[in-house]
Amino acid sequence: MTKLENPVLMATIGGAQGLRGEVRAKAYTADPTAIGDYGHLHSMDGRSFEILEIREMKNVVVVRFRGINDRNAAEALNGLELYIERDNLPDDELEEDEFYYADLEGLEALDDKGVSYGTVTGIFDFGAGDLLELKGPGKRPVLIPFSEASVLEIDLEAGTLLIDPLAAGLVDDDELSPFTAGKPKKKK
């Protein structure tokens, strides 16, 4: 049983495929067949999965794992999320302006004046582009677009994102903010 220190989600298992223990899986990698390139996959309950075969099929990959030999065993894995340790991802292959989404979680979102808008607690794609979820202490989470207009700079070493709060939709032109629940700021 392996407990991951910094897990990165690689795939979610769907239904069984055929009778020999294969499963369909949604891969979260640029190349869907690369989910096995970083070592064994692990579930959060500590199980380890070794990929024996993998092939693409429409929007998913079909995977055969060591020890999963029949349809019943494959069906028991439905919905299981599979992870690798973050350290298994190759940093040396990244371009200067590239990074892994997993590295964004926990970064503090600051504007150019140093005002904090919370930390990144998730990255989502609902079909219209990537969104960052920011959560501040005692505040509701908000989603901002992950675009060049709203996220100006990413500094992984400092643990910060430089954002434009207006482009991100965090403030209005008339200085209303979702963090103030619609109450106008006091005039100076």
Side-chain angles (χ1 to χ4, degrees):
M1 298 258 182
T2 303
K3 173 74 173 150
L4 300 177
E5 296 294 320
N6 192 3
V8 175
L9 180 62
M10 297 298 283
T12 302
I13 297 177
Q17 174 73 28
L19 302 174
R20 299 182 318 136
E22 293 178 317
V23 295
R24 293 183 303 273
K26 176 161 178 46
Y28 303 111
T29 53
D31 172 11
T33 60
I35 62 172
D37 292 353
Y38 309 105
H40 291 187
L41 300 169
H42 303 275
S43 62
M44 290 310 264
D45 62 9
R47 292 181 285 170
S48 180
F49 295 87
E50 179 185 353
I51 294 177
L52 297 177
E53 294 176 24
I54 187 167
R55 68 181 188 278
E56 284 189 80
M57 186 178 97
K58 296 184 184 176
N59 298 328
V60 296
V61 289
V62 176
V63 183
R64 190 164 70 87
F65 294 110
R66 180 176 303 284
I68 307 298
N69 299 319
D70 60 42
R71 186 171 182 88
N72 290 338
E75 286 174 348
L77 300 178
N78 191 2
L80 189 67
E81 294 181 330
L82 298 175
Y83 300 83
I84 62 166
E85 187 64 56
R86 165 60 182 95
D87 292 341
N88 292 356
L89 294 173
D91 289 330
D92 56 341
E93 293 179 13
L94 294 175
E95 298 291 327
E96 185 176 323
D97 60 342
E98 286 185 317
F99 46 86
Y100 295 110
Y101 279 2
D103 294 338
L104 297 178
E105 291 188 26
L107 297 183
E108 185 176 15
L110 304 170
D111 67 11
D112 59 351
K113 295 178 181 96
V115 175
S116 176
Y117 288 86
T119 59
V120 177
T121 55
I123 298 99
F124 303 100
D125 183 358
F126 299 114
D130 293 329
L131 299 169
L132 298 178
E133 179 183 61
L134 303 179
K135 174 92 171 81
K139 299 178 177 140
R140 292 179 146 201
V142 295
L143 296 174
I144 67 167
F146 186 39
S147 65
E148 290 181 8
S150 49
V151 178
L152 306 174
E153 185 179 308
I154 299 169
D155 189 344
L156 296 175
E157 290 180 17
T160 60
L161 294 175
L162 177 62
I163 63 168
D164 179 343
L166 183 61
L170 296 172
V171 296
D172 293 333
D173 286 331
D174 57 351
E175 295 299 314
L176 290 179
S177 168
F179 293 116
T180 59
K183 295 183 255 178
K185 288 189 172 187
K186 296 179 183 176
K187 293 185 180 187
K188 294 180 183 178

